[in-house]
Amino acid sequence: MFKYTLLIGLGFCSLASFAQEEEKEQQKTEKQEDVKGNLGEIDVVRDYKPILADAVKIRQSPDLTNNRKYLSKLHYTVFDRKLDINTGTHRLEIKEIPTSRPEVLTNNYAKIGVGNFNTLLGEVYISNGEDQAMQVGGFAKFLSQKGSDLDGQNFNEQKIGLFGRSVLDQITLNGEIGFNRYGTRYYGLAPSQQGLTPDPVTPPQEQNSPLKQHYNDIYIKGELNSNATDDPELLSYSLKADGYLFGNAFSAKENSFALSGNLNKKINAFNVGLNASGDFTSLKSADQSTGNHIARLNPYIRFQGNNYKITLGAALVSEFGGDESRNNIFPAVDLDLALVPEYISLYAGVKGDAVKTSYRSLANENPYLSETPFIDTATNNLVIHNMLEKINAYGGIKGNAGAAVGYKVGLFYKKVSDLPLYAINPTNPSRYDLIYDRGEKNTIYGLEGDINVRVSEAFSLGGNLIFNEYDLDHEAEAWFIPKLRLAANTRINISKKVYIDGELFFNDAMKAKTYAQYEGLTDMDPSNAVTVSLPAFVDISAGLEYRATKQIGVYVRGNNLLNKSYQRFLYYPRLGFNVIGGINVSF
């Protein structure tokens, strides 16, 4: 029974399976007919076998697990030192270059010193701190020297001043007020006063005790500038005012007040601007007074791109207040073209101006002017003329030779009138008068150059050269103006505590206008003017400082190291080798 029952059961299963297979075949046939009805008939040529190239085959069995890991929040620790990764290659250790001067944590210092020729020096500088937005401070200086070769060969100088600077949101303010005093004597001696011939001019008492002279200068300056903004087309402006009261030990006085301003507006690729100024000066000497006022107006338009800048404008200059008035219009053209940006640029321009003849600037250059300057000996009237630059054409190249060298070399050509020059006073050889070459065709041309070399923070070198030639209408020479002047300076830091500096100044030979009686020339009229040559000279100075601590330093400086008693002005030899040393303290 069991066998038959088993056989009957298997038969039913087979029948059911066959029925299912038959049903599946029927469904498959219906689907194929459906596909044929929609896509048409398909002929199968061979079975499709997918083949992958070896390069794209994945030779690793996939991980089918889908377990999501928990990602914790990361925390980073910033180290305050450089990590040293031991991979065999280490980062180069860069040795810091010592600064040109040791770091001093204070902004105030005082200096005292003594030297030969009875030299005394005192200097102090005080400021509020390192806040660049607000600076307030003051300074004072005293220096005196007394020569031993000539009676009255002494000099003294005093300076005192206060300054301030404030950077606000939209403007920056600068200001300074101070007092300068320079004293000397008329110690110049002509050859006739040195025993060659009797001196018929200078009184005996003045020969024994040269007359004292000093200059007092009280000045004030103020400046307002708009700050730079992110908007380049915003109107920029500046305003500057300065004035001074200047006078000598006698009756000569000069008072001046000047006001100048600038407006500039950028519109697309060019700038439109205006410079305007007024300089109002009054001069008094020998109970006479006169005015010397100059007004300027300079409109311009500037085209500026990445590698060029062209400025086109004109200068309207008016002189008034004195014996004569003049109005002139000069060109104001300037070009700056970068041939190789940051390395080589061409510059050129043409301009003109009235250069103010100022008693203050002349006395700073030559303190041996007569007690009553600007008196015309022919008319005995007080007369002053400004030098007129009718044309000033210039051009040259400038740029950088790498990051350490900057240079500028150019030529210039000027046509001037009323050129001021110095000449010995006809009645006193220790005094100088101011004379003018009023020719309309006076020509000045020459070459000038500048170079700055900064090898590192520890070494720098700079130099300046000016070569000029004068072709004058009336005067035989450009008196006391050398054809060649060369100046150079260097700063060298030996270590963090020791540094040295040096300066060199070369002045070419000059011509001086004097008179036969002063030169002891008895074979000609004593009142005849003669020309005397002043030899060229070199003045070298150097200094050394040792910084014992951050607050205390010891220094020594030598001037005129070649010990040459040269003359910048005729009959006035300068001091020979002189040295000064002392200490400076920061606090």
Side-chain angles (χ1 to χ4, degrees):
M1 291 296 293
F2 176 77
K3 293 181 180 179
Y4 293 114
T5 302
L6 180 60
L7 291 173
I8 293 171
L10 291 175
F12 277 111
C13 288
S14 300
L15 182 61
S17 298
F18 178 75
Q20 291 177 358
E21 290 293 332
E22 191 173 307
E23 184 178 356
K24 289 180 181 180
E25 287 293 333
Q26 186 178 358
Q27 292 176 355
K28 184 177 180 181
T29 303
E30 291 176 355
K31 288 182 180 180
Q32 290 178 352
E33 290 178 355
D34 219 2
V35 171
K36 286 180 180 181
N38 295 329
L39 300 177
E41 187 175 354
I42 298 175
D43 294 333
V44 178
V45 178
R46 62 178 177 83
D47 296 337
Y48 173 75
K49 295 182 179 180
I51 300 175
L52 294 176
D54 292 340
V56 297
K57 288 181 180 180
I58 298 175
R59 301 181 181 276
Q60 185 177 5
S61 299
D63 185 5
L64 300 181
T65 58
N66 191 20
N67 296 330
R68 183 179 179 86
K69 295 182 179 180
Y70 172 73
L71 299 179
S72 62
K73 186 176 181 180
L74 300 179
H75 297 277
Y76 298 92
T77 301
V78 180
F79 294 94
D80 60 354
R81 60 185 179 83
K82 177 177 68 65
L83 293 176
D84 189 7
I85 304 175
N86 297 318
T87 59
T89 302
H90 297 274
R91 181 178 177 180
L92 294 177
E93 297 291 343
I94 301 176
K95 183 175 179 58
E96 292 186 1
I97 299 174
T99 58
S100 58
R101 294 198 64 172
E103 294 183 1
V104 179
L105 302 179
T106 57
N107 299 281
N108 313 314
Y109 77 88
K111 177 186 289 187
I112 58 173
V114 296
N116 63 336
F117 294 114
N118 297 315
T119 302
L120 295 175
L121 171 66
E123 187 175 350
V124 62
Y125 177 93
I126 300 174
S127 68
N128 64 318
E130 298 181 356
D131 184 4
Q132 296 299 322
M134 176 60 72
Q135 287 285 312
V136 179
F139 59 89
K141 179 181 179 180
F142 172 83
L143 173 66
S144 67
Q145 288 183 304
K146 183 178 180 180
S148 57
D149 296 335
L150 296 174
D151 184 30
Q153 191 183 28
N154 53 16
F155 320 92
N156 60 83
E157 181 181 11
Q158 298 87 39
K159 294 182 178 182
I160 186 169
L162 299 172
F163 63 87
R165 181 175 186 266
S166 177
V167 181
L168 305 178
D169 293 338
Q170 297 181 350
I171 61 173
T172 298
L173 301 174
N174 291 281
E176 183 178 344
I177 183 171
F179 169 76
N180 297 330
R181 186 182 188 276
Y182 180 80
T184 184
R185 286 179 180 265
Y186 290 109
Y187 67 89
L189 292 176
S192 61
Q193 296 173 307
Q194 298 173 12
L196 297 179
T197 58
D199 178 19
V201 178
T202 305
Q205 64 271 18
E206 188 173 325
Q207 295 184 45
N208 297 330
S209 180
L211 192 63
K212 291 183 179 181
Q213 173 66 291
H214 69 255
Y215 299 94
N216 296 327
D217 181 14
I218 302 173
Y219 67 92
I220 184 170
K221 302 176 183 178
E223 188 174 359
L224 181 152
N225 293 303
S226 60
N227 295 334
T229 63
D230 295 334
D231 184 5
E233 297 187 359
L234 193 66
L235 179 69
S236 61
Y237 53 89
S238 66
L239 183 65
K240 182 178 180 181
D242 62 79
Y244 62 84
L245 305 176
F246 184 83
N248 65 7
F250 305 94
S251 61
K253 293 179 175 59
E254 183 181 58
N255 305 328
S256 176
F257 175 76
L259 185 67
S260 61
N262 168 263
L263 293 173
N264 185 85
K265 173 69 174 177
K266 183 175 182 180
I267 304 174
N268 296 329
F270 59 92
N271 292 265
V272 177
L274 176 68
N275 297 316
S277 66
D279 189 331
F280 307 96
T281 303
S282 62
L283 183 68
K284 181 180 178 181
S285 181
D287 297 326
Q288 300 185 49
S289 61
T290 185
N292 182 23
H293 313 319
I294 304 175
R296 298 180 179 88
L297 197 64
N298 169 221
Y300 65 86
I301 181 171
R302 178 179 298 128
F303 301 89
Q304 186 169 353
N306 294 331
N307 299 323
Y308 70 91
K309 182 170 65 175
I310 303 173
T311 303
L312 304 175
L316 290 76
V317 182
S318 176
E319 302 171 76
F320 57 97
D323 294 337
E324 61 181 10
S325 299
R326 294 185 294 190
N327 297 304
N328 293 278
I329 300 177
F330 302 105
V333 180
D334 187 80
L335 168 67
D336 196 324
L337 176 63
L339 297 180
V340 181
E342 298 183 4
Y343 291 95
I344 302 176
S345 295
L346 294 179
Y347 71 93
V350 179
K351 63 180 182 179
D353 197 4
V355 182
K356 176 182 173 182
T357 300
S358 167
Y359 182 36
R360 183 196 199 194
S361 60
L362 293 173
N364 286 333
E365 182 181 20
N366 183 357
Y368 310 111
L369 291 173
S370 299
E371 302 97 309
T372 55
F374 307 108
I375 297 295
D376 189 349
T377 55
T379 63
N380 202 32
N381 293 327
L382 180 62
V383 179
I384 187 168
H385 302 288
N386 298 314
M387 186 179 74
L388 198 65
E389 285 188 353
K390 298 181 178 180
I391 184 172
N392 180 0
Y394 56 90
I397 62 173
K398 62 181 179 179
N400 302 293
V405 181
Y407 64 90
K408 181 179 180 181
V409 180
L411 302 173
F412 60 87
Y413 174 86
K414 298 179 182 180
K415 237 178 204 332
V416 303
S417 65
D418 297 318
L419 177 68
L421 299 167
Y422 300 115
I424 294 290
N425 186 287
T427 61
N428 195 327
S430 64
R431 310 294 195 271
Y432 278 84
D433 290 336
L434 191 68
I435 60 175
Y436 302 90
D437 191 319
R438 306 209 66 190
E440 298 294 327
K441 297 180 181 180
N442 295 325
T443 303
I444 309 171
Y445 56 90
L447 176 146
E448 58 184 352
D450 292 278
I451 186 169
N452 290 285
V453 180
R454 189 179 181 86
V455 177
S456 66
E457 292 291 334
F459 175 77
S460 63
L461 176 67
N464 171 265
L465 178 146
I466 298 178
F467 174 81
N468 42 229
E469 188 74 41
Y470 284 75
D471 185 7
L472 305 182
D473 283 355
H474 303 306
E475 296 295 330
E477 299 285 347
W479 311 117
F480 297 101
I481 300 179
K483 289 187 177 181
L484 177 63
R485 278 178 289 186
L486 175 65
N489 61 81
T490 184
R491 298 288 185 272
I492 303 175
N493 201 82
I494 304 299
S495 67
K496 289 185 177 181
K497 292 190 174 184
V498 181
Y499 79 96
I500 62 175
D501 65 276
E503 295 179 358
L504 179 146
F505 180 75
F506 171 77
N507 196 94
D508 199 8
M510 300 177 294
K511 301 295 184 180
K513 182 179 181 179
T514 185
Y515 296 91
Q517 57 180 334
Y518 302 147
E519 290 296 307
L521 302 176
T522 58
D523 57 344
M524 61 186 303
D525 189 341
S527 62
N528 284 354
V530 296
T531 299
V532 177
S533 295
L534 292 177
F537 63 84
V538 177
D539 192 329
I540 302 176
S541 60
L544 181 145
E545 180 174 347
Y546 172 73
R547 203 75 180 175
T549 68
K550 289 184 177 181
Q551 283 73 36
I552 301 176
V554 181
Y555 71 93
V556 61
R557 183 168 190 83
N559 301 310
N560 195 2
L561 298 181
L562 300 180
N563 196 25
K564 299 293 184 180
S565 183
Y566 61 85
Q567 298 183 53
R568 173 63 180 88
F569 293 101
L570 185 64
Y571 308 144
Y572 280 92
R574 301 295 297 174
L575 295 177
F577 170 71
N578 58 95
V579 62
I580 183 172
I583 62 173
N584 51 53
V585 180
S586 300
F587 57 94

